[in-house]
Amino acid sequence: MSEEYEYRHEVEELEQKSATAARLFDVRRIIGGLFVIYGIIVLIAGFTVSDADVRKASGININLWTGSCMLAVGLLFLLWMKLRPLSAPGTEPKPEPGRPGAGSGAGTDEPGGREPGSGTG
């Protein structure tokens, strides 16, 4: 009984570490973080631009616009990661209530939720 408990405890620890590693290396975190960092850098360049550079770009402060868009995209990625976190590896995602197709016929091979070989259609 003691060996079984230790084995289960060890498996639970490894699953927890695996889930933590998966969340740490979520690609949304990396992309969002890079966009935020580069967006801030380009925004700073946009605030310190000279009048000659603005004239070259037909009167548009392109660094300011690009930096603000990059910052917005990065924040959207980080918000997406926060609102829809990764589930632990090996676990099924929970079905959302009220979604079409999540009812009684979900998960069947036939379109429309019919069982294969049911004779209808």
Side-chain angles (χ1 to χ4, degrees), residues 6-115:
E6 288 178 20
Y7 177 73
R8 285 186 184 176
H9 183 68
E10 186 175 331
V11 167
E12 288 173 1
E13 275 186 28
L14 289 174
E15 285 175 348
Q16 187 177 15
K17 286 180 183 179
S18 177
T20 302
R23 280 189 297 272
L24 182 64
F25 294 110
D26 186 5
V27 72
R28 297 174 293 182
R29 178 183 306 244
I30 296 167
I31 292 172
L34 286 174
F35 265 105
V36 166
I37 291 170
Y38 291 145
I40 290 171
I41 292 170
V42 175
L43 261 175
I44 291 171
F47 286 128
T48 60
V49 70
S50 68
D51 290 333
D53 289 334
V54 172
R55 279 193 301 268
K56 282 184 196 176
S58 302
I60 300 170
N61 190 345
I62 197 72
N63 285 340
L64 195 63
W65 283 102
T66 304
S68 60
C69 289
M70 289 176 76
L71 186 62
V73 167
L75 290 175
L76 283 174
F77 266 92
L78 295 176
L79 180 68
W80 177 28
M81 181 193 66
K82 197 70 161 173
L83 293 177
R84 301 283 253 169
L86 284 179
S87 59
T91 60
E92 300 267 336
K94 296 177 184 174
E96 295 180 15
R99 282 188 67 195
S104 61
T108 60
D109 293 332
E110 291 286 324
R114 292 187 309 263
E115 290 292 327

